[in-house]
Amino acid sequence: MTMTLIASFFLLLNCLALAEPQAVAADDPGTYLPLPSWDPWYRAPEGWQATTPGTVLRVRQHAYNMTPIPILNVGDTFQVLFRSTDSLDNATWAVTTVFMPKNPRCSSNSTSSNCTQGILSYQLPYDTSCLDASPSFGLQWGEPYGEIAIALARGWWVSVPDFEGPLASYGANIVAGYITVDSVRAVLSVADTHYGVKNARAAMWGYSNGASATEAAVELAPKYAPDLHIAGAAIGGLAAVVGTAGPLLTATQVAGLLVQGIIGVTSQYPEQRQYILSRLNPSGPYNATEFFWASYMSGWQSLLYFCYVDIFEYFIGGKDDLDHPDLRAMFIREGTMGQFGDPNVKMFVYHTLEDDMAPIKDTDALVASLCERGSNILYHRNHWGGHNDELTNGRQRSFDFLGDVLDGSDVMKVPGSGCKTVDLTFMQPYGKPIV
Ligand SMILES: *[C@@H]1O[C@H](CO)[C@@H](O)[C@H](O)[C@H]1NC(C)=O
Ligand SMILES: *[C@@H]1O[C@H](CO)[C@@H](O)[C@H](O)[C@H]1NC(C)=O
Ligand SMILES: *[C@@H]1O[C@H](CO)[C@@H](O)[C@H](O)[C@H]1NC(C)=O
Ligand SMILES: *[C@@H]1O[C@H](CO)[C@@H](O)[C@H](O)[C@H]1NC(C)=O
């Protein structure tokens, strides 16, 4: 596993929080949006706590007001700020960015009255506790994998939620799940009010940390948003159990993820955050200030900065400090999939046997447990490649599945109910376009 490979699945954004903000007006054509931390639009309007989850609080049409928008097949974009719920069940809010295709399938002047617009909620992993590395801001410079463009070519809208929320709570899967669910409710609502789209069908997709948000969302949705119908969810490279595995990342190439995870998850838990602050070295080498520099770094920057660093060095009591029961309980609560609820959507789960970041045994166990509880899953176990390879190798199968649930085709032959596990050896043929 090389750093180059790991890089390929993180959004290659800079976290620009320390940079001088550009004086740009959002409605000035050809300009970029300001940093989220400086952007007055990224504030919930007064009284927002009293609204119900999924309520639309702000809409910014033509959000990416440059020509052309540097993602293929985009016609226009809008952003929605909506009410959601955090990990402790308090009110929070979040933002999603919606890309609409150049050739829309349904629109206010569509002649077909029964036109159904496919909407893909696409959870892009950003792996950082830096708000200014959120996709809503970073996607102005393009997309990392070309997947948005492919979905747009299929005629779908693509909604990319900042599922870590306004505190950039990397690793906090409960709030990520709620935000993902509410982003779909909010986009469906704006589709109707602002774009005349009455009939829409929504599906979800996420890989790696985007899979965590997606999986948490489909588990939480039945109780949290019983009226919301989600047509299907594609979930790849999921880390189904991170609660106890986190500390194992210390002194590895991906030690930066541990720092980001401690900062990100404790952003939702004030008591655990206080505890962390009380245990970090106040001065000298490996001090608290340096630890929190991570929240001014993109996922990629923090991987470089903390590469092979023993993160336990930052703590007065070393490793033992991270064994505190309240901290462990927090990580287990947030990082154990399968305990949030019983999904009622059709699912495509894909994973490689050789996944070097998220062991397949945890996903095997999760799928088995969800299936016992009545889920409807097609589970692909690929005998080829590692975590980063499956990002590419799973792409066509994911699009085929999403086409099945959004457009009514049957390419993937997902069973009508119950589960089916398929072992396969699949490598995306080099140079073959994904559609
Ligand atoms: C959030 O929820 C917790 C637990 O229910 C509660 O103790 C706390 O006061 C809440 N915080 C805010 C800001 O509402
Ligand atoms: C309305 O229809 C015209 C002609 O088909 C098309 O060019 C245009 O993009 C449509 N408008 C919207 C908002 O979809
Ligand atoms: C949509 O409406 C048209 C015309 O009323 C009808 O022929 C067609 O079968 C309908 N399609 C669906 C998917 O309901
Ligand atoms: C904390 O560590 C950073 C980075 O090594 C260093 O620049 C800074 O002076 C340290 N702060 C204190 C108070 O020791």
Side-chain angles (χ1 to χ4, degrees):
M1 184 172 69
T2 67
M3 285 303 266
T4 337
L5 279 175
I6 299 164
S8 71
F9 83 95
F10 295 113
L11 196 52
L12 295 180
L13 296 172
N14 282 332
C15 184
L16 302 168
L18 293 177
E20 199 61 19
Q22 304 289 312
V24 290
D27 57 357
D28 188 2
T31 57
Y32 291 90
L33 294 176
L35 291 163
S37 57
W38 291 82
D39 186 349
W41 190 82
Y42 276 73
R43 306 280 180 272
E46 214 168 302
W48 65 276
Q49 290 98 334
T51 63
T52 55
T55 299
V56 173
L57 300 172
R58 288 186 197 280
V59 179
R60 176 152 62 186
Q61 293 187 272
H62 317 298
Y64 291 177
N65 203 4
M66 75 280 285
T67 313
I69 293 165
I71 294 178
L72 287 177
N73 309 325
V74 179
D76 198 0
T77 58
F78 65 92
Q79 291 181 323
V80 189
L81 191 145
F82 52 91
R83 160 78 153 80
S84 193
T85 302
D86 74 10
S87 287
L88 294 179
D89 268 331
N90 293 316
T92 189
W93 52 268
V95 169
T96 190
T97 305
V98 182
F99 299 84
M100 294 183 291
K102 264 204 190 93
N103 302 312
R105 194 178 304 178
C106 309
S107 60
S108 44
N109 67 0
S110 168
T111 48
S112 159
S113 59
N114 61 6
C115 176
T116 297
Q117 176 64 52
I119 299 179
L120 173 62
S121 182
Y122 173 63
Q123 283 66 250
L124 202 50
Y126 46 118
D127 294 5
T128 170
S129 58
C130 174
L131 177 69
D132 288 337
S134 296
S136 57
F137 179 73
L139 289 170
Q140 295 177 99
W141 285 275
E143 61 161 328
Y145 314 125
E147 292 171 340
I148 296 176
I150 299 169
L152 292 169
R154 286 192 175 230
W156 305 328
W157 290 14
V158 183
S159 170
V160 187
D162 292 350
F163 60 78
E164 293 183 8
L167 301 176
S169 307
Y170 167 64
N173 293 322
I174 299 174
V175 65
Y178 284 137
I179 288 175
T180 302
V181 170
D182 287 322
S183 71
V184 175
R185 296 204 260 208
V187 170
L188 288 171
S189 157
V190 173
D192 181 5
T193 57
H194 289 64
Y195 297 94
V197 172
K198 304 279 176 209
N199 301 319
R201 194 173 288 154
M204 296 177 174
W205 183 21
Y207 195 81
S208 200
N209 193 238
S212 308
T214 309
E215 220 287 323
V218 297
E219 285 189 34
L220 293 165
K223 275 202 181 129
Y224 181 63
D227 295 338
L228 177 66
H229 176 73
I230 301 163
I235 293 171
L238 175 72
V241 182
V242 291
T244 47
L248 301 178
L249 299 180
T250 196
T252 67
Q253 279 183 331
V254 292
L257 291 181
L258 176 56
V259 182
Q260 295 291 11
I262 293 170
I263 299 175
V265 181
T266 58
S267 73
Q268 292 288 314
Y269 294 84
E271 284 169 23
Q272 281 84 344
R273 170 59 67 86
Q274 273 314 312
Y275 168 76
I276 288 290
L277 290 172
S278 75
R279 301 309 303 164
L280 286 165
N281 297 315
S283 61
Y286 301 108
N287 62 56
T289 309
E290 187 185 30
F291 190 85
F292 276 90
W293 282 351
S295 49
Y296 297 100
M297 297 176 188
S298 68
W300 174 237
Q301 288 169 325
S302 64
L303 280 182
L304 292 178
Y305 190 84
F306 294 102
C307 189
Y308 294 118
V309 171
D310 183 0
I311 304 307
F312 302 149
E313 294 276 351
Y314 285 91
F315 292 88
I316 296 163
K319 181 178 189 304
D320 289 349
D321 283 350
L322 291 177
D323 281 336
H324 190 283
D326 291 352
L327 209 56
R328 289 175 66 95
M330 173 192 77
F331 281 120
I332 290 169
R333 178 171 193 263
E334 289 285 347
T336 316
M337 295 296 163
Q339 57 168 356
F340 305 131
D342 296 337
N344 60 7
V345 304
K346 200 173 271 303
M347 290 159 80
F348 171 54
V349 178
Y350 57 107
H351 213 105
T352 64
L353 271 70
E354 302 297 329
D355 193 312
D356 40 3
M357 300 205 52
I360 194 169
K361 68 171 175 52
D362 294 338
T363 299
D364 286 346
L366 174 70
V367 169
S369 155
L370 293 179
C371 291
E372 259 170 41
R373 286 144 55 187
S375 284
N376 177 201
I377 302 176
L378 172 64
Y379 180 32
H380 274 193
R381 303 172 81 248
N382 193 357
H383 290 239
W384 178 271
H387 186 81
N388 294 299
D389 303 307
E390 189 67 359
L391 171 69
T392 311
N393 291 333
R395 191 167 289 147
Q396 184 63 65
R397 287 174 286 142
S398 297
F399 274 110
D400 288 343
F401 168 81
L402 294 165
D404 288 351
V405 296
L406 288 177
D407 300 332
S409 50
D410 190 21
V411 179
M412 294 294 283
K413 311 278 180 229
V414 183
S417 64
C419 292
K420 183 167 125 189
T421 297
V422 177
D423 276 76
L424 72 171
T425 302
F426 182 85
M427 183 173 52
Q428 179 65 28
Y430 184 73
K432 184 176 183 205
I434 291 170
V435 291

